């Protein structure tokens, strides 16, 4: 059984959703408090030198980190949750998956703890990153068609990012108003019965 180190409502929830969707068994290990000095951080540092979640330990003891890398590893085992090889949709899947983790994720890394990176003017740094994050989501909205999912009728692992990330800043009400296609996809994923337990546990229903 896999071991998933994470914290409720953090990015590890996305990996939980992925593992649950594809019906891969895992044990969730709560490391709440990992982002400050203490025993939880020390525990996570033993397996992930960056002390980040999600951290997934495989059955052979190998360690997987980074949600996009974990998604690609899962898709090697469950290719029905990604567009077909050689299609434009497959190329766009790769592009948008990496785009999210390369562009949107860093706005949380730096914006949520502005005092860590700019103690002299943390408020300005945080507010600027919030506005930049909104502009990123507005662009993502332009990449979507009518739905019901990002790639039409096919549910992919990329869709599982949205019910989590629309609960984070700028929050659901902003997405409802400014990016209705993103909001609609997030809500359709929330309606999947097999994901309700994980979504509820993470406060994302």
């Amino acid at each position: 059984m896999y071991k998933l180190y994470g914290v409720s409502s953090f990015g590890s929830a996305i990996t939980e959703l992925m593992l649950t969707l594809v019906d891969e068994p895992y044990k969730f290990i709560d490391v709440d408090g990992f982002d400050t000095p203490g025993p939880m951080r020390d525990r996570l540092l033993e397996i992930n030198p960056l002390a980040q979640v999600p951290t997934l330990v495989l059955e052979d003891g190998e360690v997987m980190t980074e949600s996009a890398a974990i998604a690609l590893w899962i898709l090697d085992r469950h290719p029905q949750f990604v567009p077909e090889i050689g299609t434009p949709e497959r190329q766009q899947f790769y592009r948008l998956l990496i785009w999210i983790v390369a562009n949107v994720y860093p706005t949380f890394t730096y914006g949520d703890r502005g005092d860590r990176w700019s103690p002299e003017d943390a408020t300005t740094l945080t507010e600027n990153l919030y506005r930049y994050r909104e502009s990123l989501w507005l662009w993502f909205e332009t990449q979507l068609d009518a739905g019901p999912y990002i790639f039409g009728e096919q549910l992919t692992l990329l869709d599982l990012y949205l019910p989590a990330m629309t609960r984070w800043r700028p929050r659901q009400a902003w997405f409802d108003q400014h990016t209705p296609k993103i909001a609609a996809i997030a809500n359709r994923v929330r309606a999947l019965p097999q994901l309700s337990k994980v979504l509820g546990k993470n406060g994302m229903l």
Side-chain angles (χ1 to χ4, degrees):
M1 180 177 293
Y2 309 124
K3 297 178 181 177
L4 177 61
Y5 291 77
V7 178
S8 176
S9 79
F10 276 54
S12 54
I14 297 169
T15 299
E16 279 195 90
L17 291 172
M18 293 179 184
L19 292 171
T20 300
L21 180 68
V22 302
D23 200 25
E24 290 279 7
Y26 66 94
K27 178 182 179 182
F28 183 79
I29 300 173
D30 191 343
V31 287
D32 189 16
F34 76 94
D35 49 352
T36 57
M40 289 302 180
R41 184 173 184 83
D42 293 341
R43 183 179 188 183
L44 192 55
L45 281 168
E46 290 178 2
I47 55 173
N48 183 348
L50 293 179
Q52 295 175 341
V53 297
T55 295
L56 182 67
V57 180
L58 307 183
E59 291 175 325
D60 61 2
E62 289 294 317
V63 175
M64 290 288 296
T65 64
E66 316 309 325
S67 67
I70 294 170
L72 294 174
W73 171 79
I74 290 173
L75 290 172
D76 284 342
R77 300 164 60 88
H78 302 276
Q80 68 271 32
F81 293 106
V82 63
E84 290 289 333
I85 292 174
T87 63
E89 291 79 12
R90 180 67 163 247
Q91 297 167 21
Q92 182 74 334
F93 176 92
Y94 287 143
R95 179 192 185 196
L96 294 180
L97 176 66
I98 301 306
W99 179 88
I100 283 179
V101 298
N103 290 280
V104 183
Y105 269 27
T107 68
F108 292 96
T109 301
Y110 301 110
D112 286 359
R113 287 294 306 273
D115 58 313
R116 179 182 295 172
W117 311 106
S118 180
E120 299 83 6
D121 195 2
T123 300
T124 298
L125 173 65
T126 297
E127 289 301 319
N128 286 343
L129 282 168
Y130 286 169
R131 301 292 81 76
Y132 179 57
R133 186 185 305 157
E134 291 173 358
S135 73
L136 292 173
W137 284 124
L138 290 170
W139 176 84
F140 191 86
E141 177 83 354
T142 69
Q143 303 303 296
L144 305 180
D145 293 324
Y149 299 110
I150 294 173
F151 295 99
E153 295 293 332
Q154 184 181 17
L155 174 67
T156 72
L157 293 192
L158 187 59
D159 294 293
L160 303 189
Y161 281 81
L162 300 185
M165 298 186 78
T166 53
R167 291 296 196 240
W168 303 339
R169 292 187 181 95
R171 308 294 186 190
Q172 188 69 52
W174 185 91
F175 287 98
D176 290 341
Q177 179 179 356
H178 297 282
T179 57
K181 288 185 283 189
I182 291 175
I185 294 169
N187 287 331
R188 289 189 188 98
V189 175
R190 290 189 186 105
L192 296 173
Q194 65 267 45
L195 301 180
S196 61
K197 184 176 180 180
V198 173
L199 287 165
K201 184 188 75 168
N202 286 281
M204 294 173 176
L205 282 175

